[in-house]
Amino acid sequence: MEEVKQITLHPQGRTEEYFINMGPQHPATHGVLRLLLTLDGEIIKRVDPDLGYIHRSIEKMTEHDTYRQIVHLTDRMDYLSAHINNEAVCLVVEKALELEVPDRVKVVRTILAELTRIASHLLWWGVTGMDIGALTTFMYAFRDREMINDIMEENCGARLTMNYNVPGGLMWDIHPNFQRRVKAFIKHFKTKLPEFDRLLSDNIIFRKRTEGIGVLSAEDAISFGVTGPAARASGVSCDIRKKQPYSAYDRVEFKEILDTRGDTFARYKVRIHEMWESLHIIEQLIDNIPEGDYQVKTNAVIKLPKGEYYQRVETARGELGVYVVSDGKKSPYRMKFRSPGFSNLSVIDHVARGYKVADLVAIMATFDFVIPDIDR
Amino acid sequence: MSYVGEIVHGIRTLLTGMAVTGKYFFRARKEIITQQYPDNRDQLRMFERFRGEVVMPHNENNEHRCTGCQACEIACPNGSIEIIWDRKVDEKTGKKKKYIVKHIYHLSMCTMCNLCIIACPTDAIKMAQNFENSVYDRSYLTKVLNKPGSKLMDGIDE
Ligand code: SF4
Ligand code: SF4
């Protein structure tokens, strides 16, 4: 907080606080999010996020959609983890119906979820570099992400809003080219990932912009409900894939990436390592996709038994919880999504205080907000 | 780190990064993935599963497979499909039977979720790979999928 002292030594002996709007249309907010900053000079005194610019009331819409239709709405929450969101809804429906899906479905879902995670982290890596001023990273990240998008497009029929999961399995069987393409991607990406480190991670300017900036302690991460890579960078072990394994995560071997520094650079590092781990998971599964059905038959109209159901999954940003209250009808009585973005945003005021406006951009970048996920 | 040491270290990391970009500068041609989009339209092939818009295939006798059962209308999450149907006497059986008058499809509201295609019991509709849907007025995006004067193929029943 030395900077604050310097500012109070103003010639007139005092400074005045003032407000500034960051967003709703601002390149660093990655969507329509408005941050109301209270500043003293360039030092941040307070950050008030103002949400709702892209609110579509998805939770309300679920109350008159059938369970099959709800799946495709979740594509539009965290659009970079669309497949994982779909999976969460399907898992909660399957849990309520006590449906055991075939192994083939579990494995394919896991592979696609990890591909989604890599694609999401790749986009994040590109825009983080760009937010901090390194434009090249964006091009490199999109080059590799394009390969995943092609896999998704060939196998699921869409690049972002896949809607490939249906309650009880998958919409179609995997495409004949799927395994070959995924293997080609792994081979390609393994040569590119070290390049990312050389290009950005070790760069002196990037290090100076990120190290020691926006420190989040483990206690604060827990009390604010921060999850995902942002919490793991502070040393909070919170990976749902480890804690409550779903799909095929119990049959693969992978490490939960933890860091203890809790600063912007630690959050960056955790995500880079997570991409390696995701590659490792896919490698274990891609040659061992079990034979079997890609779907179990469900009734045309799915009705969940009366009761409450909850399922957590790990998206690229953290913990997504789906809570369903069913009264036995074909639509849920209430459906609540606990989205990782919303909880992670709540900590931004706490983390950004005392740093400069330019640091806020770096902090925002490594929390990796997806605004439709925050607003829903 | 000493002042000079830091400068040397800084320059070294900058050069490491520039070696990466420099490598691509000289051998970029091998890894170009950018497509010259409007120019390569003729060669452009979308994947067969790609979901672009809902279409109803007709055969050469202007016949389709749609019975007007409304399953797609019910399956659609956002009301993109409207079925206008009627009943008429079937010549063969002499019974009154449902038939489709208009299968109205609002492309402007469709989210390409594929639920209608799955729901259709007679495979009357499918997804086309067309993605160039920009028009000057929204009303152009409301389409009638069954062609004028078309009728149901023989042997298709609900
Ligand atoms: S693809 Fe989905 S949104 Fe579009 S018409 Fe079919 S059911 Fe409706
Ligand atoms: S397109 Fe298929 S589901 Fe829709 S009304 Fe025709 S036959 Fe029924």
Side-chain angles (χ1 to χ4, degrees):
Chain A
M1 297 295 243
E2 270 167 30
E3 293 94 331
V4 182
K5 269 192 218 128
Q6 279 170 14
I7 281 184
T8 46
L9 295 175
H10 193 262
Q12 271 85 42
R14 67 187 171 86
T15 58
E16 228 172 67
E17 285 189 358
Y18 66 104
F19 299 101
I20 194 167
N21 274 317
M22 190 166 159
Q25 306 291 341
H26 189 282
T29 57
H30 299 192
V32 274
L33 171 71
R34 173 168 164 245
L35 296 177
L36 193 61
L37 309 183
T38 310
L39 302 174
D40 183 353
E42 215 192 324
I43 311 293
I44 295 170
K45 290 278 156 145
R46 203 182 140 92
V47 184
D48 290 305
D50 181 10
L51 320 170
Y53 287 93
I54 193 163
H55 182 73
R56 290 142 303 166
S57 70
I58 285 181
E59 284 175 12
K60 189 72 194 165
M61 276 152 84
T62 58
E63 287 170 23
H64 39 82
D65 274 357
T66 65
Y67 290 100
R68 280 181 201 286
Q69 294 171 344
I70 288 167
V71 176
H72 97 294
L73 288 177
T74 58
D75 281 340
R76 277 112 190 130
M77 287 177 1
D78 177 356
Y79 49 81
L80 295 179
S81 311
H83 177 87
I84 310 178
N85 298 349
N86 294 168
E87 192 180 351
V89 176
C90 293
L91 285 174
V92 78
V93 172
E94 284 153 16
K95 196 186 221 174
L97 294 176
E98 290 171 6
L99 210 66
E100 182 64 26
V101 295
D103 277 356
R104 188 180 180 82
V105 175
K106 289 185 181 170
V107 169
V108 173
R109 277 181 181 172
T110 310
I111 294 172
L112 283 167
E114 290 311 310
L115 281 176
T116 310
R117 194 180 317 277
I118 295 177
S120 170
H121 283 355
L122 270 174
L123 188 134
W124 157 84
W125 183 77
V127 295
T128 298
M130 209 162 65
D131 281 351
I132 290 175
L135 202 68
T136 323
T137 59
F138 188 75
M139 306 296 166
Y140 285 22
F142 267 60
R143 174 197 60 197
D144 301 334
R145 185 170 170 266
E146 192 56 35
M147 286 183 83
I148 300 185
N149 277 349
D150 272 351
I151 295 171
M152 293 296 181
E153 196 176 332
E154 189 176 44
N155 191 51
C156 314
R159 294 157 64 84
L160 281 179
T161 54
M162 291 89 149
N163 194 29
Y164 183 57
N165 283 306
V166 292
L170 307 168
M171 197 174 262
W172 304 290
D173 204 355
I174 53 170
H175 194 274
N177 288 342
F178 178 69
Q179 275 160 306
R180 188 174 54 79
R181 268 181 188 269
V182 173
K183 278 187 214 156
F185 169 75
I186 295 176
K187 191 152 166 273
H188 167 87
F189 195 51
K190 276 198 165 164
T191 62
K192 300 300 173 195
L193 207 41
E195 248 172 33
F196 287 15
D197 275 336
R198 290 215 295 281
L199 195 64
L200 192 64
S201 316
D202 297 334
N203 185 290
I204 181 108
I205 303 170
F206 180 74
R207 285 284 184 110
K208 295 256 175 212
R209 288 287 309 271
T210 52
E211 273 175 335
I213 303 290
V215 181
L216 174 67
S217 68
E219 295 77 46
D220 290 337
I222 291 171
S223 68
F224 279 96
V226 178
T227 50
R232 291 198 281 279
S234 304
V236 183
S237 159
C238 61
D239 198 329
I240 310 295
R241 294 174 292 170
K242 279 270 186 217
K243 304 266 170 221
Q244 284 185 357
Y246 53 93
S247 292
Y249 286 112
D250 48 358
R251 68 184 75 175
V252 289
E253 184 259 318
F254 66 103
K255 283 201 293 287
E256 178 177 6
I257 309 296
L258 289 172
D259 203 316
T260 47
R261 289 169 286 178
D263 59 355
T264 305
F265 188 68
R267 291 190 281 275
Y268 171 88
K269 263 290 181 218
V270 165
R271 286 207 175 83
I272 294 279
H273 284 304
E274 274 195 3
M275 286 200 253
W276 282 111
E277 286 306 312
S278 295
L279 279 181
H280 186 51
I281 294 175
I282 299 172
E283 267 183 336
Q284 292 172 52
L285 293 176
I286 191 68
D287 280 323
N288 309 320
I289 301 181
E291 294 298 317
D293 288 340
Y294 61 89
Q295 212 183 71
V296 275
K297 278 270 161 285
T298 43
N299 295 340
V301 179
I302 297 176
K303 287 183 182 169
L304 298 196
K306 267 199 185 109
E308 298 175 11
Y309 309 96
Y310 189 64
Q311 172 69 42
R312 313 195 282 172
V313 294
E314 180 80 18
T315 74
R317 268 154 213 84
E319 175 187 333
L320 173 78
V322 183
Y323 175 62
V324 184
V325 183
S326 168
D327 53 0
K329 302 216 180 72
K330 66 179 177 23
S331 315
Y333 174 75
R334 174 85 169 91
M335 199 153 184
K336 156 86 185 150
F337 296 103
R338 181 253 185 242
S339 74
F342 187 78
S343 312
N344 289 4
L345 181 70
S346 69
V347 82
I348 198 87
D349 173 43
H350 180 76
V351 166
R353 277 189 196 192
Y355 295 101
K356 301 212 167 94
V357 178
D359 294 336
L360 177 64
V361 173
I363 294 169
M364 292 267 297
T366 49
F367 270 99
D368 194 13
F369 295 122
V370 165
I371 312 304
D373 181 41
I374 296 169
D375 277 349
R376 300 194 294 290
Chain B
M1 217 186 284
S2 72
Y3 182 69
V4 178
E6 205 163 313
I7 292 176
V8 172
H9 171 69
I11 291 175
R12 216 188 56 232
T13 61
L14 289 183
L15 288 179
T16 326
M18 279 168 80
V20 176
T21 45
K23 194 184 89 191
Y24 283 108
F25 183 73
F26 287 112
R27 47 182 289 262
R29 226 161 281 278
K30 287 191 192 127
E31 288 198 55
I32 289 180
I33 58 151
T34 323
Q35 299 193 2
Q36 301 299 324
Y37 161 55
D39 300 337
N40 73 344
R41 261 206 192 126
D42 302 335
Q43 298 96 297
L44 202 63
R45 291 279 169 277
M46 301 307 282
F47 294 113
E48 62 196 304
R49 285 181 182 177
F50 177 76
R51 308 197 287 264
E53 72 173 300
V54 178
V55 291
M56 185 181 287
H58 287 59
N59 69 4
E60 58 279 5
N61 304 330
N62 205 9
E63 289 171 337
H64 56 71
R65 301 167 66 89
C66 176
T67 56
C69 70
Q70 289 181 291
C72 53
E73 190 181 19
I74 296 164
C76 182
N78 43 36
S80 302
I81 294 179
E82 281 175 61
I83 306 285
I84 300 177
W85 55 274
D86 206 349
R87 286 184 203 280
K88 69 175 171 198
V89 178
D90 192 357
E91 288 124 33
K92 283 192 213 109
T93 54
K95 280 200 211 112
K96 272 204 162 182
K97 219 177 130 194
K98 217 171 177 180
Y99 76 101
I100 185 107
V101 180
K102 268 183 181 175
H103 187 301
I104 302 171
Y105 168 55
H106 300 277
L107 176 56
S108 52
M109 301 200 298
C110 176
T111 54
M112 316 300 170
C113 67
N114 212 42
L115 293 180
C116 52
I117 317 286
I118 293 178
C120 180
T122 55
D123 292 332
I125 42 178
K126 67 172 186 114
M127 277 288 178
Q129 275 72 44
N130 163 40
F131 60 93
E132 294 168 327
N133 287 327
S134 54
V135 285
Y136 282 104
D137 193 288
R138 194 177 163 177
S139 61
Y140 293 124
L141 295 176
T142 299
K143 304 179 178 187
V144 178
L145 293 191
N146 53 334
K147 290 191 190 148
S150 61
K151 62 181 194 328
L152 183 65
M153 249 177 240
D154 273 343
I156 309 270
D157 233 325
E158 266 181 62

